[in-house]
């Protein structure tokens, strides 16, 4: 059974703290993604990585950074947490599509509250 | 303008109704179109996908893509309370990064 595991279901952090969200996949996928999900806005891509140590900015990268030192692990870092980063964060992984589509597998999400 | 637009609803229907969920997209380079279903407090899961234009049927679900009008649809026949969830449409370029662009998601409630 394929699995994407996010380290925490719920987190409460203080404004200004440095926050690490961890994601691990066991499917040997090249591509990994971080999205945030907010009511009425859907899933918005923060960053994605298509290989170890490779990353690309998504649509809303400001205030975030990422790290991918190993193929199975993709970390999202909030350098200095702010209240407008309160959200549901979803990690996903996916095999390289090539000429065929492949399914993206999501973790269960991390509900982050910044106070 | 978002690349994939979806009415967030909410949409409430009685059990047994036919449900129509719709998205529009702006980029004609999109080749793959997907529907994900997300239950409360869970991550999204792939429901259906289609490549380019056409219909695809899986049980009570039919996905439809009309590339000429840039319109994506999901039809649910004989809807059940267990279909109550948020439905997200997604599109992708034909390429190697696998980057998916999602719509806002439509929340569906099917009442018994």
């Amino acid at each position: 059974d394929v699995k994407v595991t996010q380290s925490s279901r719920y987190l409460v952090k203080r404004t200004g703290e440095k926050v690490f969200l961890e994601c691990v996949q066991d499917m040997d996928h090249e591509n990994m993604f971080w999205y945030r999900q907010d009511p009425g806005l859907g899933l918005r891509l923060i960053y994605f990585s298509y290989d170890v140590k490779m990353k690309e900015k998504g649509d809303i990268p400001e205030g975030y950074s990422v790290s991918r030192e190993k193929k199975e692990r993709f970390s999202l870092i909030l350098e200095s947490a702010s209240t407008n980063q309160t959200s549901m964060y979803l990690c996903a992984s996916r095999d390289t599509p090539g000429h065929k589509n492949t399914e993206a597998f999501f973790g269960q999400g991390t509900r982050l509250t910044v106070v | 303008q978002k690349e994939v637009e979806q009415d967030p609803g909410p949409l409430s229907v009685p059990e047994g109704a036919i449900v129509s969920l719709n998205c529009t997209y702006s980029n004609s380079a999109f080749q793959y179109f997907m529907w994900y279903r997300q239950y409360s407090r869970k991550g999204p899961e792939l429901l259906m996908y289609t490549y380019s234009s056409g219909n695809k049927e899986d049980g009570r679900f039919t996905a439809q893509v009309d590339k000429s009008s840039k319109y994506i649809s999901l039809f649910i026949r004989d809807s059940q309370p267990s279909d109550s969830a948020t439905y997200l449409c997604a599109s992708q370029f034909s390429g190697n990064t696998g980057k998916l662009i999602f719509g806002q998601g439509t929340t569906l409630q099917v009442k018994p």
Side-chain angles (χ1 to χ4, degrees):
Chain A
D1 198 19
V2 297
K3 214 162 191 179
V4 178
T5 304
Q6 295 182 230
S7 52
S8 305
R9 288 298 301 270
Y10 301 95
L11 273 180
V12 180
K13 295 292 181 180
R14 295 195 180 277
T15 301
E17 276 193 77
K18 191 169 186 175
V19 181
F20 293 85
L21 302 183
E22 307 285 347
C23 176
V24 178
Q25 52 99 358
D26 64 0
M27 296 163 280
D28 201 36
H29 286 165
E30 288 85 3
N31 301 291
M32 295 188 74
F33 308 84
W34 276 106
Y35 291 89
R36 64 177 282 177
Q37 186 173 27
D38 301 287
L41 297 176
L43 270 68
R44 293 181 291 167
L45 183 64
I46 304 171
Y47 268 97
F48 69 101
S49 168
Y50 50 90
D51 203 350
V52 175
K53 296 190 187 294
M54 306 303 287
K55 62 187 179 185
E56 282 198 25
K57 293 179 181 179
D59 299 318
I60 50 165
E62 296 79 18
Y64 303 94
S65 63
V66 290
S67 172
R68 191 154 180 216
E69 296 296 319
K70 294 185 177 181
K71 191 175 186 179
E72 67 270 18
R73 187 179 296 270
F74 192 35
S75 303
L76 180 69
I77 304 153
L78 285 65
E79 298 291 343
S80 177
S82 64
T83 54
N84 63 12
Q85 292 178 309
T86 292
S87 187
M88 170 69 84
Y89 289 87
L90 287 160
C91 174
S93 78
R94 193 176 188 208
D95 207 350
T96 299
H99 62 285
K100 285 182 69 174
N101 180 51
T102 57
E103 180 176 353
F105 294 90
F106 283 84
Q108 76 278 28
T110 296
R111 171 76 61 186
L112 173 68
T113 302
V114 182
V115 298
Chain B
Q1 183 194 4
K2 279 180 67 74
E3 288 187 282
V4 179
E5 294 274 5
Q6 186 176 3
D7 184 345
L11 182 62
S12 182
V13 301
E15 183 175 354
I18 296 174
V19 176
S20 173
L21 303 170
N22 304 295
C23 290
T24 57
Y25 65 94
S26 58
N27 195 325
S28 55
F30 286 143
Q31 292 287 333
Y32 297 101
F33 304 92
M34 285 136 274
W35 285 94
Y36 281 77
R37 180 173 59 193
Q38 185 179 22
Y39 291 113
S40 181
R41 291 185 291 276
K42 300 275 189 181
E45 292 182 318
L46 182 67
L47 185 61
M48 296 186 72
Y49 82 90
T50 54
Y51 173 71
S52 194
S53 278
N55 290 2
K56 189 170 186 176
E57 192 172 318
D58 184 2
R60 297 184 294 110
F61 298 88
T62 300
Q64 197 171 77
V65 176
D66 182 347
K67 292 197 79 180
S68 62
S69 58
K70 297 190 180 71
Y71 209 74
I72 312 164
S73 300
L74 179 71
F75 300 97
I76 308 174
R77 290 183 299 280
D78 187 26
S79 56
Q80 302 295 309
S82 58
D83 295 329
S84 298
T86 296
Y87 291 81
L88 297 136
C89 61
S91 299
Q92 183 206 320
F93 300 107
S94 180
N96 289 330
T97 64
K99 179 181 169 183
L100 287 173
I101 310 296
F102 283 88
Q104 294 92 321
T106 300
T107 300
L108 171 68
Q109 183 182 27
V110 181
K111 294 184 176 179

